[in-house]
């Protein structure tokens, strides 16, 4: 398997390595072991290869990489934009691989992949270390408590630096790197690695008769015939590894003190490997391996590390799943549309077994659907299978209503029985809504940061465009479509320039509609400056019925970081006790409506906490009137508190030659950028800055012109920051049509 992404290069032989067979030829004369990984494309279609393995032999893993650091199978403009799921066998293990995008515009693709993973491989450019988007993806993995293995890629680059990359992981990710290999050679002379657990030297030699594709490597123990420098480096690195693991794992430390205190060299590799596995699963440390995936150097040991250190599905604990016992419980984490087969829904099976031609219950939609066909995305083909068991990833045909984040179970009775088991167990962890609905935690969908109008070429194509947008939204929940109430225009909302551009391109290619996009606009947010309280009464007569409601509430600003950027809602104990569920829902709806449309420019609110202090409702008043009263009261309170526009701020990292640094700095100053730091990396400078997103449109073209195409950059959404009064005044005038 090749883990390479050099801007659109996909190497055809890489997909065959996904199902490579292992052939070992032991030479009688020497102690070398030559391992040969052959390509067996026909084996992909064998039903033998897709029989459900034991759950302990399954690994659900993802590849997390910065743009151009890793691997992919689905390409748009040279980067992975969708989480490409593929299944393959490695030795006696089944690996379900989900690649994730390395671009800031596709945060949701990363989020939904991590939601169903049990482990991940973080791929780094060994010459650059941790880059901006890698940091963002790593934080997402930490949120889901996903154990990781690190792979330092591109060790054959002249600027590759092992110690720099290790320190970068330690400093930027705040992780504890556990180095398991050291490279043999550097730059173009990089030829292999030393396995510090076994003291084996693995060498990939150029073989012209087979092509230098990494299928063959030689393994032999380190001995006195090897270079003295390599022997010393390996000895020191292994000692450091043993000491580090002993600090992280008490069981290994006890073994070391009891049996091997005087001779670390005698520590069995099996015991050390077991300790590294415990450290990895406990997320106390991250194993680090190295290689060059373009030539497949180091990829086979990486696959071995995936099976050795990352968890099986039954080693990851999902609180809710155990209540289903042997009944089906699955999560829909991705939807694709196929012109021939209709919607294809990817499911992660958490418990039970799924078979084709069976009815299933979608808890979120409260609907029953039939799975007509069941497929395994095996290597580069979809192979039909008679059943899929717990721990696996399935591709289903026939689910017409399921969307990302839906929980699929065998029947409504199954969900009811699971809820009963949870309620009967006093030790069950309480989560909001979990006891009643038994729904798996879905995927958090980030708010869009860009929007623009989209129009069909003619009015006769409007219905076709609406259908295309509905299909694309089902595939991609981070894509939002709404209709402007004033102009009637369709508004497309996405995560970035590239995101919207690709959606536009897909509508043309897949649905044959030549649409027109209006100018891109930034999705600003609004917040408040001070605390404020107010009371409002709505008294309205509709027909013969009089509706009267009085609401007393307070709003206050909260820190965007601590609240996660969300708006909060609380009730006093008195209100909590007196409101019926129906009226409480009406109040919540009124607050939610106000939060979606701020009073200044109509942008959604961020960092606002609302406290409902009193709600008085006259008999006969309907809930919709209570919602209207709450919304009106909220509007008054927000205006009293003072409203401030927030703009999205991006973390920018630019790698540029020193001769172009001044031009890049000058351009950033014009974009209202703030330089945080300028670092040296080999012969280049690394510029770290924060820049308003509104100023970054078209930046790649400008940077290419300024630096003659020699600079690279990466962006990640940092936070939302208050606009200064001058910029806010300009924005207000522009929105009012005065500019």
């Amino acid at each position: 398997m090749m883990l390479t992404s050099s801007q659109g290069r996909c190497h055809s032989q890489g997909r065959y390595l996904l199902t490579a067979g292992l052939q070992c030829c032991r030479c009688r004369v020497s102690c070398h072991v030559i391992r040969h990984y052959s390509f067996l494309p026909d084996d992909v279609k064998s039903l033998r290869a897709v029989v459900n393995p034991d759950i302990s032999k399954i690994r659900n893993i993802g590849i997390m990489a910065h743009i151009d650091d890793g691997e992919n199978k689905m390409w748009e403009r040279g980067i992975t934009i969708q989480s490409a799921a593929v299944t393959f066998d490695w030795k006696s293990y089944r690996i379900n691989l989900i690649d994730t995008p390395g671009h800031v515009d596709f945060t949701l693709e990363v989020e939904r992949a991590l939601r169903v993973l049990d482990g991940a491989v973080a791929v780094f450019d060994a010459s650059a270390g941790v880059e901006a988007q890698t940091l963002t993806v790593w934080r997402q993995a930490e949120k889901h408590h996903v154990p990781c293995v690190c792979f330092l890629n591109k060790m054959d680059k002249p600027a590759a630096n092992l110690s720099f990359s290790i320190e970068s992981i330690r400093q930027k990710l705040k992780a504890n790197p556990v180095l398991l290999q050291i490279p043999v050679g550097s730059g173009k002379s990089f030829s292999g690695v030393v396995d510090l657990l076994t003291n084996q030297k693995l060498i990939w030699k150029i073989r012209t008769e087979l092509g230098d594709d990494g299928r063959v490597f030689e393994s032999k123990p380190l001995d006195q015939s090897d270079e003295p420098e390599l022997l010393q480096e390996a000895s020191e690195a292994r000692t450091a590894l043993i000491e580090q693991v002993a600090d992280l794992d008490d069981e290994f430390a006890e073994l070391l003190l009891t049996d091997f205190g005087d001779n670390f060299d005698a520590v069995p590799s099996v015991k050390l490997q077991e300790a590294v596995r415990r450290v990895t699963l406990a997320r106390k440390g991250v194993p680090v391996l190295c290689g060059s995936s373009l030539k497949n150097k180091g990829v086979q040991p990486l696959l071995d590390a995936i099976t050795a250190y990352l968890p099986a599905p039954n080693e990851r604990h999902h609180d809710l799943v155990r209540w289903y016992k042997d009944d089906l419980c699955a999560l829909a984490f991705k939807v694709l549309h196929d012109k021939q087969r209709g919607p294809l829904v990817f499911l992660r099976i958490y418990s039970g077994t799924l078979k084709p031609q069976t009815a299933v219950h979608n808890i979120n939609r409260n609907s029953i659907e039939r799975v007509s066909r069941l497929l395994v995305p095996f290597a580069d083909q979809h192979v039909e299978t008679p059943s899929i068991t717990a721990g696996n990833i399935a591709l289903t045909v026939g689910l017409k209503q399921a969307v990302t984040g839906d929980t699929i179970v065998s029947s409504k009775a199954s969900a009811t029985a699971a809820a009963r088991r949870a309620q009967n167990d006093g030790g069950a962890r309480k989560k909001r809504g979990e006891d009643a609905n038994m729904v798996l935690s879905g995927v958090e969908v980030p708010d869009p940061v860009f929007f623009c109008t989209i129009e069909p070429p003619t009015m006769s194509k409007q219905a076709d465009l609406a259908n295309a947008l509905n299909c694309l939204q089902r595939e991609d929940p981070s894509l939002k479509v709404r209709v402007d109430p004033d102009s009637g225009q369709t508004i497309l909302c996405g995560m970035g320039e590239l995101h919207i551009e690709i959606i536009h391109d897909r509508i043309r290619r897949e649905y044959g509609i030549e649409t027109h996009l209006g100018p891109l606009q930034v999705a600003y947010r609004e917040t408040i400056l001070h605390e404020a309280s107010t009371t409002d009464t709505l008294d309205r007569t509709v027909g013969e019925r009089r509706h009267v409601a009085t609401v007393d509430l307070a709003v206050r600003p909260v820190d965007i970081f601590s609240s996660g950027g969300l708006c909060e809602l609380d009730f006093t104990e008195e209100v909590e006790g007196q409101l019926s569920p129906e009226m409480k829902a009406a109040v919540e709806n009124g607050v939610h409506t106000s939060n979606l449309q701020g009073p200044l420019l109509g942008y959604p609110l961020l960092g606002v906490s609302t406290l409902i202090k009193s709600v008085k409702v006259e008999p006969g008043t309907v809930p919709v009137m209570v919602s209207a009263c709450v919304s009106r009261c909220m509007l008054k309170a927000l205006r009293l508190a003072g409203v401030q526009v927030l703009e999205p701020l991006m973390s920018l990292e630019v790698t540029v030659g020193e001769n172009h640094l001044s031009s890049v700095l000058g351009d950033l100053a014009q974009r209202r950028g703030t330089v945080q730091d300028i670092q040296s990396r080999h012969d280049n400078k690394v510029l770290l800055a924060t820049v308003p997103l509104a100023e970054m449109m078209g930046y790649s073209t400008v940077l290419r012109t300024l630096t003659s195409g020699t600079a690279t950059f990466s962006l990640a959404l940092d936070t939302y920051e208050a606009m200064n009064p001058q910029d806010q005044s300009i924005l207000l005038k522009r929105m009012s049509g005065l500019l």
Side-chain angles (χ1 to χ4, degrees), residues 195-199 238 241-242 245 251-252 254-261 263-278 309:
D195 185 332
L196 298 177
L197 284 83
T198 62
N199 269 332
R238 189 172 197 270
L241 169 64
I242 290 171
V245 174
E251 184 179 333
F252 183 70
E254 186 176 344
L255 173 73
L256 205 63
L257 292 172
T258 305
D259 300 335
F260 305 102
N263 185 10
F264 281 4
D265 290 337
V267 175
S269 60
V270 173
K271 293 296 184 183
L272 183 53
Q273 186 181 79
E274 290 172 352
V276 172
R277 188 169 207 273
R278 290 192 295 270
Y309 305 122

Side-chain angles (χ1 to χ4, degrees), residues 211-230:
D212 185 21
D213 54 19
R215 287 186 293 175
V216 177
F217 68 93
E218 294 180 2
S219 174
K220 77 178 191 70
L222 284 175
D223 56 37
Q224 296 307 312
S225 65
D226 290 305
E227 300 86 347
E229 294 84 359
L230 181 64

Side-chain angles (χ1 to χ4, degrees), residues 229-389:
E229 294 84 359
L230 181 64
L231 290 172
Q232 182 178 351
E233 184 183 359
S235 175
E236 292 173 354
R238 189 172 197 270
T239 300
L241 169 64
I242 290 171
E243 291 175 348
Q244 182 183 15
V245 174
D247 286 339
L248 298 172
D249 184 75
D250 292 341
E251 184 179 333
F252 183 70
E254 186 176 344
L255 173 73
L256 205 63
L257 292 172
T258 305
D259 300 335
F260 305 102
D262 298 329
N263 185 10
F264 281 4
D265 290 337
V267 175
S269 60
V270 173
K271 293 296 184 183
L272 183 53
Q273 186 181 79
E274 290 172 352
V276 172
R277 188 169 207 273
R278 290 192 295 270
V279 166
T280 307
L281 297 187
R283 297 174 61 248
K284 294 179 179 179
V286 287
V288 179
L289 300 93
C290 57
S292 173
S293 64
L294 180 60
K295 301 289 180 63
N296 273 331
K297 295 178 179 179
V299 173
Q300 298 93 335
L302 173 61
L303 290 168
D304 289 336
I306 287 169
T307 61
Y309 305 122
L310 294 180
N314 57 349
E315 293 176 298
R316 294 270 287 161
H317 303 295
H318 303 278
D319 291 335
L320 180 145
V321 174
R322 56 181 167 160
W323 307 122
Y324 282 93
K325 294 192 173 180
D326 294 329
D327 288 338
L328 173 68
C329 180
L331 180 74
F333 70 93
K334 187 173 184 62
V335 179
L336 295 176
H337 278 82
D338 184 276
K339 289 184 179 178
Q340 281 74 41
R341 293 176 290 193
L344 304 178
V345 180
F346 284 85
L347 298 180
R348 163 69 194 270
I349 312 296
Y350 284 98
S351 67
T353 301
L354 180 63
K355 295 181 179 180
Q357 298 302 323
T358 56
V360 294
H361 177 61
N362 185 326
I363 298 181
N364 302 73
R365 311 289 135 204
N366 192 24
S367 64
I368 296 175
E369 297 190 83
R370 180 170 292 275
V371 176
S372 59
R373 297 172 65 194
L374 197 55
L375 309 170
V376 174
F378 208 78
D380 59 353
Q381 301 183 23
H382 291 164
V383 182
E384 288 210 48
T385 181
S387 66
I388 290 284
T389 55

